[in-house]
């Protein structure tokens, strides 16, 4: 049974930073593709950053240079560092994982419950 549990969301003023964490029960020894996705009210969910088992990363244009994704396979943890946040970054942020080629279009099959980020 795979569990992904996010933490670290909250409210921040524009220009601020937040650090999201995801504790994964998934067998990271198998090194799945892991990613962060977000969804705003009335919007489709979008994957904003992914990282493969070797640490290769992919970012959506909207967050490139502002967000950094990282993983610690030994601790089964995924992290998203977000800087210079804007009101349009307000969304529910989800930790997700899947198999196969790793990018923003990977077939992500495991999802956490999400953590809310609000930027004002």
């Amino acid at each position: 049974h795979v569990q992904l549990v996010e933490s670290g969301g909250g409210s921040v003023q524009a220009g601020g930073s937040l650090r999201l964490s995801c504790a994964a029960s998934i067998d990271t020894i198998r090194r799945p593709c892991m990613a962060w996705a977000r969804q705003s009210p009335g919007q489709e969910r979008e994957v904003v950053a992914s990282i493969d088992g070797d640490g290769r990363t992919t970012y959506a244009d909207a967050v490139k240079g502002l967000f950094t994704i990282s993983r610690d396979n030994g601790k089964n943890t995924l992290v998203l560092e977000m800087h210079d946040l804007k009101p349009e970054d307000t969304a529910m942020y989800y930790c997700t994982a899947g198999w196969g080629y790793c990018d923003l279009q990977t077939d992500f099959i495991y999802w956490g419950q999400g953590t809310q980020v609000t930027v004002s």
Side-chain angles (χ1 to χ4, degrees), residues 74-114:
K75 296 181 179 179
N76 291 359
T77 300
L78 181 72
V79 171
L80 184 69
E81 307 248 11
M82 305 185 292
H83 300 287
D84 193 19
L85 285 161
K86 303 174 180 60
E88 51 263 42
D89 294 315
T90 295
M92 186 72 77
Y93 282 73
Y94 298 90
C95 175
T96 183
W99 307 104
Y101 183 76
C102 190
D103 61 13
L104 303 182
Q105 284 78 44
T106 298
D107 183 17
F108 295 105
I109 58 175
Y110 307 112
W111 292 86
Q113 293 299 306

Side-chain angles (χ1 to χ4, degrees), residues 31-34 50-58 69 71 73 100-103:
R31 307 204 292 183
C33 175
M34 300 194 74
S50 68
I51 184 168
D52 70 10
D54 294 320
R56 184 182 65 88
T57 58
T58 307
I69 188 171
R71 66 193 285 168
N73 290 332
Y101 183 76
C102 190
D103 61 13

